[in-house]
Amino acid sequence: MECKVKKADIVHQILRGAHAVPAGDRQAQGMGYAPTNIALCKYWGKRDNELNLPVTSSLSIALPDKGAMTTLSWNERAEDVVVLNGTQVAPDSAFVTRLIHYLDLFRSDEKWYLNIDIKMNIPVAAGLASSACGFASLICALNDLMKWHLPHRELSILARMGSGSAARSLWNGFVFWHEGMREDGMDSFGEPLNIEWPALRIGILPISEQQKPISSRDAMLRTVNSSSLYSSWPRKVSQDLSIFKQALKARNFSLLGGTAESNALAMHATMLSSWPPICYFMPETLKAMKQIWQLRNEGCEVYFTEDAGPNLKLLFLDTQLDKIKNVFPEMDVILPFE
Ligand code: DP6
């Protein structure tokens, strides 16, 4: 059901409670870094498309040194200029349009323009959650520039309105995004879980850096509207979330990895059963999946998860690194807790 609450109302509500700084006392420059995150239990489907309110809660883990650093400064020529990794992005591109629409929410009462410099060390739009760290770092930089001093919970709500998964990109470690029940989404935000798991490793398996055939936003909408399997998704998530809770408490890696893999495959099954069908798998994705299953048959515990793109993220413990590197030498290994 689509609600009538508008993003601009939420921004007003949050900024009313923020530290008010007169325009002349703002910073000359604002900066924000946000790590990207990989969902172990996926966000797939919205109960509100305007506010990015999810149908279910979700759970992620951050990749601390993969993310986005955004630096903002005032632009006196009355234009927003977006520079991504050192190159100016065309003002009429979808990327810039989406950023500008988002910034417009914060300048309904007052006109200002920005130089937006974004540095990302992950491929943009290849299913590696670039919009998650992009919007989270942008809202952190804006909070710094404007001296709002907003708490992370509010920043998570604001980041969510840029991209749902950005609600989880405000913290390192495991983050739980509460689906919330309210129509205005003020109870739908990320919350860090106080759980350390130093032996856990994430391997990024690069399969393709190509732009996705369909954005996660459009794919999600099409799935909700046309997949015959989608009605079973909320039940699957609720079961998986309670298993994740157990797995995290007991540091049970087999349970964590197996549930993450099964959750990702169930999400892709809803996409495959959409019409027109959505398939992010490439032949190389399937080949890698089979290699992972083969490793498991040989006693090496490794699991995968996959988002809206062909790349796989592997989950394993440090003791298995050498065996897995042997099969996937190109894998980039992330230590989420070190
Ligand atoms: C498959 O957060 O990119 O990565 O809210 O429309 O911006 P929008 O979607 P987005 O979707 C992410 C989907 C996912 C699963 C996940 O990260 O939980």
Side-chain angles (χ1 to χ4, degrees):
M1 189 187 68
E2 202 65 10
C3 86
K4 290 180 197 61
V5 183
K6 294 279 169 253
K7 285 179 184 168
D9 303 334
I10 306 300
V11 169
H12 270 119
Q13 192 176 328
I14 291 179
L15 294 188
R16 249 202 320 271
H19 187 79
V21 175
D25 292 345
R26 290 171 183 159
Q27 309 251 62
Q29 207 182 53
M31 290 176 86
Y33 175 78
T36 192
N37 72 78
I38 304 289
L40 300 175
C41 188
K42 309 293 184 190
Y43 145 56
W44 198 247
K46 306 182 193 195
R47 66 182 163 92
D48 183 290
N49 292 314
E50 156 94 6
L51 302 177
N52 290 336
L53 293 176
V55 169
T56 69
S57 296
S58 57
L59 172 77
S60 63
I61 184 156
L63 309 187
D65 55 1
K66 297 273 177 218
M69 168 63 94
T70 297
T71 307
L72 302 176
S73 59
W74 304 104
N75 182 301
E76 310 299 344
R77 294 183 311 277
E79 54 174 352
D80 295 307
V81 175
V82 181
V83 173
L84 176 65
N85 292 337
T87 306
Q88 186 175 342
V89 189
D92 56 353
S93 63
F95 184 80
V96 172
T97 310
R98 190 166 166 195
L99 282 188
I100 288 181
H101 278 152
Y102 183 70
L103 284 176
D104 285 344
L105 296 171
F106 301 89
R107 51 188 176 193
S108 55
D109 299 336
E110 189 196 348
K111 278 285 160 252
W112 38 260
Y113 297 89
L114 297 176
N115 300 310
I116 305 152
D117 182 79
I118 309 170
K119 291 200 168 64
M120 276 197 201
N121 58 0
I122 52 170
V124 178
L128 275 174
S130 52
S131 67
C133 60
F135 280 100
S137 71
L138 177 61
I139 196 62
C140 289
L142 205 54
N143 184 47
D144 184 36
L145 183 76
M146 301 295 196
K147 295 194 189 165
W148 286 329
H149 301 298
L150 287 170
H152 271 50
R153 185 170 284 194
E154 261 82 6
L155 292 176
S156 170
I157 292 174
L158 293 176
R160 174 200 6 103
M161 295 196 297
S163 179
S165 50
R168 301 183 306 236
S169 262
L170 275 297
W171 301 269
N172 279 329
F174 293 104
V175 177
F176 186 84
W177 172 14
H178 298 269
E179 63 189 69
M181 306 207 13
R182 289 175 56 142
E183 206 188 17
D184 65 3
M186 290 304 283
D187 55 354
S188 181
F189 46 75
E191 184 184 357
L193 304 183
N194 199 6
I195 294 169
E196 297 269 319
W197 199 333
L200 197 66
R201 298 289 178 268
I202 296 174
I204 310 277
L205 206 59
I207 283 173
S208 164
E209 287 203 5
Q210 265 172 29
Q211 192 87 1
K212 328 176 188 188
I214 171 170
S215 70
S216 43
R217 177 156 296 193
D218 294 344
M220 219 183 272
L221 194 62
R222 191 189 295 172
T223 307
V224 173
N225 291 336
S226 70
S227 160
S228 54
L229 297 182
Y230 190 73
S231 60
S232 67
W233 174 248
R235 197 171 55 249
K236 166 74 179 156
V237 169
S238 128
Q239 283 162 356
D240 286 353
L241 284 173
S242 58
I243 302 175
F244 276 119
K245 207 166 148 193
Q246 252 177 281
L248 289 174
K249 192 160 174 231
R251 304 290 191 278
N252 182 335
F253 177 70
S254 316
L255 202 55
L256 180 98
T259 312
E261 186 173 305
S262 147
N263 185 272
L265 289 170
M267 175 184 73
H268 284 277
T270 67
M271 296 188 213
L272 290 168
S273 61
S274 300
W275 200 260
I278 303 161
C279 179
Y280 286 109
F281 301 156
M282 287 180 48
E284 295 83 349
T285 315
L286 289 170
K287 183 173 170 222
M289 285 180 183
K290 290 186 178 170
Q291 285 171 299
I292 290 164
W293 293 328
Q294 178 61 29
L295 273 165
R296 283 221 294 278
N297 285 339
E298 291 162 6
C300 169
E301 272 213 276
V302 52
Y303 299 88
F304 66 82
T305 183
E306 180 187 358
D307 290 305
N311 301 305
L312 295 185
K313 292 90 177 189
L314 275 47
L315 297 163
F316 54 95
L317 295 176
D318 55 350
T319 47
Q320 303 301 309
L321 176 65
D322 293 345
K323 278 184 220 143
I324 300 167
K325 264 268 177 196
N326 244 339
V327 178
F328 301 112
E330 70 282 29
M331 173 179 73
D332 190 2
V333 181
I334 315 283
L335 285 65
F337 294 98
E338 277 169 35

